[in-house]
Amino acid sequence: MNNKSSRERVMFQIECITCGQKYSSDMTSYVCKSCGDLLDIRYNLQDIAERLPNPDWASRPLGVWKYLELLPIQDPTEIVSLKEGGTSLHHCQKLGSRLGLEKLFVKNEGENPTGSFKDRGMTVGVTKARKIGAKAVICASTGNTASSLAAYAARAGIQCVVVIPEGKIALGKLAQAMMYGAKVVSMKGNFDQALELVMESCDQLGFYLLNSINPYRIEGQKTAAFEVCEQLGSPPDTLIIPVGNAGNISAYWKGFNEFFSVGLNQSLPRMIGIQAFGASPIVDAYKKDSDVIKPVDTPETVATAIRIGKPVSWKKALRAIHESKGMAESVTDDEILFAQKLLAREEGLFVEPASAASIAGLIKLKDLGEIDAEERVVCVTTGHGLKDPETAIKSCEEILVIEKSVEELARSLKIPIRISAAQA
Ligand code: AN7
């Protein structure tokens, strides 16, 4: 046994979230072999705590791989990276004061290499794919997973197939997946049906699956929570995050807990998940105090990224919400589009509609008295606004059309023409 593999064996195990069945770190199945539920990667956190904070940390740039000790890849030479993570945490004072909040921050994940938080998970997931010698990777996607996987697969030299719901993904995301060279397959049906097909087919067709049921994805995504803690100096009181398939809210909660367990956090935030009104099975379950979800058969929302009716990670998400004494809320398409424009115009941050769901949720919950003025709140914005230019253009004022003339320009802008000193 060489050094590397012995270190990894001690470092982590894979564990079923429901029956607790344990597997060694070299197992490559995405689900529990005895009960079929989702898996989690578990570290020996006591052992890691003794080695953290690593003296090296200060010199490493903020980003996913700063946290190597808390990731399931130990050899830096194996990493497939496009420099993901290290995104800004913006203090939004203008928007905050409008909403009556002094300490409002936005974690802007649209700054990642392909424009969404998915890159954090893909750097780890595709590294794992290459490490086990996968010849081809596959995902079902509402768009961002597809763009991100396509980019990382290209970087790794692995074939990539993405299955998307017919006619329902935003244009920028489609352009990305195509340009990075993925085979793009459009399936009649919605995202949930596409994911079922992909999960059913990947073994038979020899694909490595990189949807967020793959626990390596979650490991990369949890680093955003580490970054938030470091950027603020401690965890926020409340984290508000859009929820679709529910991998990301689960990942943040895992991240906050791991930092707590190794002694780098002294507290934990309350986790608030926001879904679109037409695709909100987790919110429905939360409000009914039910510990199971009832899938939505025909999810609908302008926020196509989170147009998901049967979130695979619903159990992890409900746990995050309950364990953190958080909550879940839904927002309408109008509320999402309003919030998107408000964030762009108050703070200069252009995010896609699904991302604006966190801001829309904040506005609604502040109005309902669920958030206090003194709370330190972080809203996660998950994807860049340019992902979906069509929706953005549709929700803005019409552009002005003129001939080349100063008079026409002035008239269209409704401003007077000044007489210059020379003319007077
Ligand atoms: C911008 O790309 O599911 O709750 O296939 O693109 O972890 O699913 C995208 C999800 C939020 C929801 N914001 O995250 C996909 C996909 C944006 C997203 C979510 C997505 P999860």
Side-chain angles (χ1 to χ4, degrees), residues 335-357:
E335 288 168 333
I336 287 172
L337 295 175
F338 174 81
Q340 183 189 27
K341 205 184 279 182
L342 188 67
L343 182 64
R345 293 179 183 194
E346 292 290 331
E347 299 292 346
L349 297 174
F350 180 22
V351 305
E352 68 168 287
S355 304

Side-chain angles (χ1 to χ4, degrees), residues 117-118 141-145 243-248 305-306 308 352 354 382:
F117 73 97
K118 304 285 182 182
S141 179
T142 58
N144 281 324
T145 300
V243 173
N245 221 11
N248 211 27
I306 52 172
I308 295 174
E352 68 168 287
T382 41

